[in-house]
């Protein structure tokens, strides 16, 4: 009896230890992984593809599970409905399954300890929505059922996405598999592509920069005058 208790306790510890190395993440507040860069697909075009398609540092492909259009996944901008979770269009840019089942794959060459994007799906449509972390060979490391563990609810929303991701103790996540329920993935909570940093300054910023240059020039002239007088 004592031996059984010891074995049960040991098994519980093993499960706890193995479960502690990974977790489903539902906020990007402390996210350190890469973003889903859909720049270049925000040109108003609505494309269908099975891939491969280059999306930032990732390669996107779609399995051959039957889809509504028969043309794979959607990539870009266009009107898209997700039943009770609202509608998508306008400036939103996303990749989506265009069907109730199957999987999309985002695979890169760099390993991360965190990987996640902004998602939404059609509740109760087809297979349950899932995301899975992939290793360097494309094998599943961790898989989570979003419908059961972290459902997304945006009733009547427009371009509304919520962050879902996976974190692990080691940087061995090289890709993400997502599928079921017409699952969509985007780079931001509204689907709008964020401009890269280091762009052209706004007019107000230019004015401040000019004032700064002027003040610096005045100080340099004063120093030169002081040196010459000395």
């Amino acid at each position: 009896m004592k031996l059984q208790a010891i074995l049960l306790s040991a098994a519980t510890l093993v499960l706890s230890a193995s479960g502690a190395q990974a977790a489903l993440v539902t906020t990007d507040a402390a996210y350190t992984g890469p973003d889903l860069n859909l720049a270049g697909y925000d040109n108003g075009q609505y494309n269908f593809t099975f891939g491969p398609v280059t999306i930032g540092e990732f390669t996107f492909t779609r399995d051959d599970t039957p889809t509504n259009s028969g043309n794979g996944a959607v990539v870009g901008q266009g009107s898209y409905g997700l039943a009770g979770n609202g509608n998508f269009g306008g400036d939103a840019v996303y990749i989506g399954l265009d069907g109730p089942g199957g999987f999309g794959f985002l695979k890169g060459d760099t390993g991360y300890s965190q990987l996640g994007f902004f998602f939404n799906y059609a509740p109760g449509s087809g297979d349950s929505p899932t995301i899975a972390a992939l290793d360097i060979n494309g094998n599943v490391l961790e898989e989570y059922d979003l419908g059961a563990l972290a459902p997304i609810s945006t009733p009547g929303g427009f371009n509304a996405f919520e962050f879902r991701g996976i974190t692990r103790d080691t940087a061995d996540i090289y890709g993400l598999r997502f599928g079921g329920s017409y699952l969509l993935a985007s780079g931001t909570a509204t689907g709008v592509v964020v401009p890269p940093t280091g762009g052209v300054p706004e007019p107000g910023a230019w004015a401040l920069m000019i004032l700064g240059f002027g003040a610096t020039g005045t100080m340099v002239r004063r120093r030169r005058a002081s040196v010459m007088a000395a």
Side-chain angles (χ1 to χ4, degrees):
M1 192 71 178
K2 289 183 179 180
L3 179 59
Q4 290 179 344
I6 292 172
L7 291 174
L8 179 59
S9 177
T12 302
L13 288 173
V14 170
L15 289 173
S16 299
S18 62
Q21 72 174 13
L24 175 65
V25 181
T26 59
T27 174
D28 64 329
Y31 179 66
T32 60
D35 297 324
L36 182 60
N37 183 5
L38 289 166
Y41 293 97
D42 53 341
N43 53 10
Q45 297 181 359
Y46 194 62
N47 306 293
F48 293 93
T49 182
F50 282 101
V53 173
T54 300
I55 298 179
E57 64 181 88
F58 296 99
T59 298
F60 173 66
T61 57
R62 171 74 158 90
D63 69 5
D64 58 359
T65 304
T67 65
N68 285 350
S69 64
N71 295 316
V74 292
V75 181
Q77 293 175 305
S79 299
Y80 202 99
L82 291 181
N85 273 355
N87 298 291
F88 302 79
D91 293 333
V93 189
Y94 48 81
I95 54 178
L97 296 180
D98 189 37
F103 296 101
F105 303 86
L106 283 161
K107 187 74 167 49
D109 297 323
T110 303
Y112 296 95
S113 59
Q114 295 183 359
L115 190 58
F117 308 118
F118 289 86
F119 290 96
N120 210 329
Y121 56 86
S125 300
D127 300 336
S128 186
T130 62
I131 61 172
L134 305 177
D135 68 11
I136 192 170
N137 297 312
N139 301 312
V140 173
L141 296 169
E142 307 287 341
E143 182 172 15
Y144 295 94
D145 185 330
L146 300 184
L149 299 174
I152 296 174
S153 179
T154 57
F158 181 68
N159 292 349
F161 297 87
E162 294 185 6
F163 187 85
R164 297 291 185 269
I166 298 172
T167 181
R168 287 172 59 84
D169 291 341
T170 57
D172 57 356
I173 305 176
Y174 285 80
L176 199 71
R177 186 189 76 180
F178 61 96
S181 299
Y182 298 85
L183 197 62
L184 300 181
S186 192
T188 63
T190 60
V192 177
V193 172
V194 177
T197 57
V200 178
E202 296 292 331
W206 276 117
L208 291 174
M209 290 169 65
I210 292 171
L211 286 174
F213 292 149
T216 302
T218 300
M219 291 176 63
V220 171
R221 286 194 295 273
R222 285 178 179 172
R223 282 183 183 172
R224 284 178 178 171
S226 298
V227 171
M228 290 176 67

